[in-house]
Amino acid sequence: MRLDYLSIFPAYFDVLDISLVGKAAINGLVEIHAHDLRDWTHDRHRTVDDTPCGGGAGMVMKPDPWGEAFDEIIGTESDPSVHVIFPAPSGTPFTQSAAAELSSAQRIVFCCGRYEGIDHRVIDYARSMWTVHEVSLGDYVLNGGEVAALAITEAVVRLVPGFMGNPESLAEESFSAGQDGLLEYPLFTRPVSWRGLDVPEVLMSGHHGRIASWRRDESVRLTRERRPDLTDSDSSGIH
Ligand SMILES: N#Cc1c(-c2ccc3cc[nH]c3c2)n[nH]c1N
C-alpha cells in the first residue's frame, strides 16, 4: 500500500516513521510519501490561498497547486483504484467499516486542506479521475486535515493483513464486526488488587462461559450508556 500526503505542513507526517506505521513501512507493508503543496507554486511567496469568491471570511486554497501536484504524484490518467481522501468538517463520518474497506486499497492519497478549505473544483476534478472520499473525524473543528489524515492512516494501516502481530486482537475491539458493533468491555490485568480496587472476581474464576457472559453484559451496558445510537444498528445484536 502506497500512502501519499499533500499538505502545506508535510512535517506533520514525520511521526509516521516513529509509530507502528513506521514499522509497517520498514516491513514493506506500506510506502509513505509526504509532499509540500507549495512545491507546486510558482510565485516568490509560494502562494496557495486566495480570497473566497462571493465574499466571506478567511481564505480558500487555490486549485492550481493541487492540480499540478496531482499530475506529478498520481498522474493524468483516470484510475478508480486510487483512493483520494479529503478530510473536511462537511465530510461523511469516518467509521471502522470505512477503514476496513480502505485497508485493501493499493494507493491512498490524503489531501490535507487548511484555511477555510480547498476550492471545490479540486474535489470535483479528483472525482472525475479517481475514487474520492470526503470524510470527517467527528463533530468538532480542527485547523486542517493533517490530524485527520494521521488518524485515518492508523485506523486503516492496522487492518492491513500482516500488520498486526496478533490479528485475533482486532476481532474484540470496539466497533469491530466480532464485537457485534458494541463498545469493548472494560479491561483488567495484574495486580488483582490495586489501591483498594480489585479485578472483578468473575475474570479470575477461570470459568470461560461466565467470563464471556460478563464481558457481553458489560459491552451492552456501556453501549447503551455511551452510544445509544449504536444500539439500534442491525449489527449490534441489541435493540
Ligand atoms: N476531517 C476533519 C475535520 C476538520 C477539518 C478538516 C480539514 C480542514 C481544512 C481546514 N479546516 C479543516 C478542518 N475539522 N473537524 C473535522 N472532524
Side-chain angles (χ1 to χ4, degrees):
M1 177 186 283
R2 173 168 167 151
L3 301 171
D4 286 89
Y5 303 83
L6 263 172
S7 165
I8 58 173
F9 298 119
Y12 253 94
F13 304 99
D14 292 352
V15 71
L16 292 177
D17 297 336
I18 301 168
S19 66
L20 275 176
V21 177
K23 186 179 148 199
I26 292 164
N27 296 339
L29 277 177
V30 297
E31 200 183 309
I32 293 170
H33 301 268
H35 312 273
D36 186 344
L37 183 68
R38 295 188 193 277
D39 289 349
W40 287 276
T41 60
H42 307 290
D43 64 303
R44 64 195 292 266
H45 297 294
R46 309 184 82 204
T47 307
V48 293
D49 63 315
D50 200 343
T51 53
C53 294
M59 302 294 276
V60 175
M61 299 190 89
K62 295 159 54 72
D64 306 86
W66 291 96
E68 292 186 29
F70 286 163
D71 292 348
E72 186 170 333
I73 294 168
I74 312 176
T76 55
E77 297 296 317
S78 175
D79 182 353
S81 75
V82 176
H83 292 261
V84 181
I85 296 180
F86 292 89
S90 58
T92 303
F94 188 74
T95 63
Q96 185 68 15
S97 55
E101 283 176 33
L102 284 167
S103 67
S104 59
Q106 284 311 301
R107 183 111 203 248
I108 301 176
V109 180
F110 290 90
C111 299
C112 302
R114 279 273 155 170
Y115 307 98
E116 298 305 310
I118 303 170
D119 184 302
H120 200 75
R121 290 169 293 179
V122 173
I123 297 159
D124 288 342
Y125 172 76
R127 281 195 190 284
S128 74
M129 298 286 283
W130 308 296
T131 299
V132 166
H133 310 263
E134 293 180 78
V135 297
S136 169
L137 276 194
D139 295 339
Y140 43 82
V141 182
L142 301 171
N143 288 330
E146 288 83 4
V147 167
L150 285 170
I152 293 166
T153 296
E154 183 151 317
V156 169
V157 171
R158 66 194 300 277
L159 298 179
V160 171
F163 175 78
M164 291 293 277
N166 173 18
E168 287 178 18
S169 63
L170 294 174
E172 295 190 353
E173 296 172 332
S174 291
F175 311 109
S176 67
Q179 196 63 13
D180 284 343
L182 297 174
L183 299 183
E184 190 171 19
Y185 45 79
L187 300 173
F188 299 86
T189 186
R190 289 183 292 256
V192 172
S193 190
W194 175 74
R195 296 190 177 190
L197 301 168
D198 297 344
V199 172
E201 280 185 31
V202 64
L203 298 181
M204 307 308 294
S205 68
H207 195 295
H208 299 299
R210 289 187 194 143
I211 291 168
S213 177
W214 180 88
R215 285 173 168 171
R216 168 79 184 189
D217 290 349
E218 284 296 291
S219 287
V220 168
R221 177 182 64 80
L222 282 173
T223 307
R224 284 189 171 138
E225 272 176 26
R226 298 177 183 170
R227 291 299 303 274
D229 57 302
L230 295 179
T231 55
D232 296 331
S233 68
D234 293 342
S235 62
S236 74
I238 54 175
H239 303 285

